[in-house]
Amino acid sequence: MALLLRPRPPAGRRVVGGVAGVVLLAGFGVVAVFSAMIIATEPAFDVTRRPGCVATLAAPEPPGSGEPGAGAVWSPTQRANAQAIVDTGRRMGAPARAQWIALATAMQEATLNNLSGGDRDSGGLFQQRPSQGWGTREQITDPEYAAEQFYAHLLALPGWESMPLTEAAQAVQRSAFPDAYAKWEQAAADLLAELGSTAPGDSVESLVCAPAGAGGEVPSAPGAAGAALAFAAEQLGKPYVWGATGPDTYDCSGLTMRAWQAAGVQIPRVSRDQATAGQQIPRGQAQPGDLVFWSSNGSVSGVHHVALYLGNDQIREAPTTGVPVRDRALNWQPGSYDETRVLPFVIRPGAST
């Protein structure tokens, strides 16, 4: 199907040719909503996965309805919008990872539909707002223009390449639902592969798998901590289900509880209770197997997520709906979700308090 794009708006349009040409058009408080949906699977999609990778070459499934996960099926209109996003990224020199983030963002914001309206004065694939400096109504409902603006803001974001998809999207979008983008990771990767990404050096593994981070290989752990991490490694790739404690599905604290139970140490079921179930260690002294916590208010009372520390600033977690158990790097960029929400201490189960 041929992709037809409307003529570019002649006025107020700023074409960005690469990272060096990126210009931020909106200041503090910008609320942008992007709606484009892409899933990628190029011929080299069938890669050897390292532990914790989400990427898989999905087997054919019955037609879906544009929902996250394998088997999602997009209408010709949605696919055309996704193609516009990908083509714009290529023209701007944006790497495949940026295209993947753009697709997942558009999937969440508008399910790859070029909406004429939205919340307040939002519109288009990314639900951008004229009142916030994103362009005119005509411009933000031009898929190519809207994609350019998303890429411009993303590529200008320090450290975006090492951020988890949901954090990078949220840094641009400032959504009221910051974790919602994560559920589109696999769908966006699948669609991107179908549309084809020709950026040199890119692979599906590098897109969907969590960045390895500067720490390099994950060190081994002795004793009970090693047993806990070994159990959690066997759960990699299993689906996240809120309230689940295995053996086939897990939520964050269900995974950590079962991991340490397999090591002979009983800890509470809920993450907030786990934050007091062991020896409190300064975060800078964390060892493999320790529990890392995220809090909405900087204290135990606001704890809402927990993960197993792997060493070298990497974690093993059951993250959120639509994203299976995985390994990923912690993101310590100033202002990032990890940097602002991770508690300054970890808990070492089984140690004297």
Side-chain angles (χ1 to χ4, degrees):
M1 175 178 175
L3 177 62
L4 299 178
L5 293 176
R6 295 194 303 276
R8 295 186 181 183
R13 183 136 184 177
R14 185 168 304 189
V15 177
V16 183
V19 176
V22 171
V23 178
L24 286 176
L25 301 179
F28 177 77
V30 168
V31 177
V33 185
F34 300 91
S35 34
M37 181 170 188
I38 290 182
I39 309 177
T41 49
E42 42 194 16
F45 192 91
D46 190 9
V47 296
T48 300
R49 297 187 299 151
R50 63 178 174 78
C53 288
V54 180
T56 58
L57 183 55
E61 295 190 5
S65 58
E67 291 299 315
V73 173
W74 309 100
S75 71
T77 298
Q78 290 171 313
R79 292 180 68 87
N81 289 330
Q83 188 72 66
I85 294 171
V86 171
D87 289 347
T88 299
R90 290 177 185 150
R91 175 174 57 79
M92 294 173 63
R97 186 175 183 84
Q99 298 170 30
W100 174 57
I101 294 170
L103 286 176
T105 301
M107 289 175 173
Q108 169 61 25
E109 299 294 356
T111 58
L112 289 181
N113 290 299
N114 190 21
L115 302 178
S116 60
D119 179 50
R120 289 169 283 190
D121 60 333
S122 301
L125 288 172
F126 294 93
Q127 292 291 286
Q128 293 155 340
R129 298 180 60 195
S131 64
Q132 299 296 327
W134 290 93
T136 66
R137 172 65 50 178
E138 181 183 6
Q139 288 174 329
I140 66 171
T141 53
D142 176 341
E144 187 180 355
Y145 174 90
E148 278 187 1
Q149 300 312 302
F150 180 84
Y151 286 123
H153 286 72
L154 176 67
L155 297 175
L157 183 66
W160 72 269
E161 304 96 326
S162 62
M163 293 180 182
L165 180 149
T166 192
E167 289 187 15
Q170 170 64 5
V172 175
Q173 298 294 100
R174 299 292 191 266
S175 169
F177 304 96
D179 298 324
Y181 306 103
K183 66 176 177 282
W184 298 102
E185 286 185 346
Q186 187 64 60
D190 293 341
L191 183 52
L192 180 59
E194 291 176 17
L195 298 175
S197 174
T198 58
D202 284 321
S203 68
V204 173
E205 181 182 52
S206 68
L207 296 181
V208 185
C209 298
E217 295 298 320
V218 174
S220 60
L229 291 178
F231 174 90
E234 294 174 357
Q235 317 313 313
L236 289 167
K238 292 186 178 181
Y240 174 99
V241 173
W242 186 83
T245 60
D248 300 318
T249 59
Y250 293 90
D251 69 5
C252 65
S253 56
L255 176 67
T256 53
M257 179 189 72
R258 292 303 186 199
W260 273 99
Q261 186 179 65
V265 179
Q266 188 64 50
I267 61 175
R269 165 70 184 90
V270 181
S271 60
R272 191 171 301 171
D273 294 335
Q274 291 179 8
T276 60
Q279 184 179 4
Q280 189 177 112
I281 307 291
R283 191 174 68 194
Q285 300 174 26
Q287 295 180 4
D290 289 346
L291 302 180
V292 182
F293 297 91
W294 284 253
S295 172
S296 59
N297 62 10
S299 69
V300 170
S301 65
V303 165
H304 56 81
H305 184 57
V306 60
L308 290 154
Y309 187 62
L310 298 177
N312 290 330
D313 284 338
Q314 297 183 71
I315 58 170
R316 183 162 293 157
E317 64 175 352
T320 188
T321 302
V323 183
V325 178
R326 65 178 181 183
D327 294 345
R328 75 168 176 91
L330 289 167
N331 177 20
W332 300 123
Q333 290 289 331
S336 69
Y337 191 76
D338 289 340
E339 193 270 337
T340 58
R341 297 296 182 91
V342 172
L343 289 180
F345 62 84
V346 298
I347 289 295
R348 189 162 298 162
S352 58
T353 57

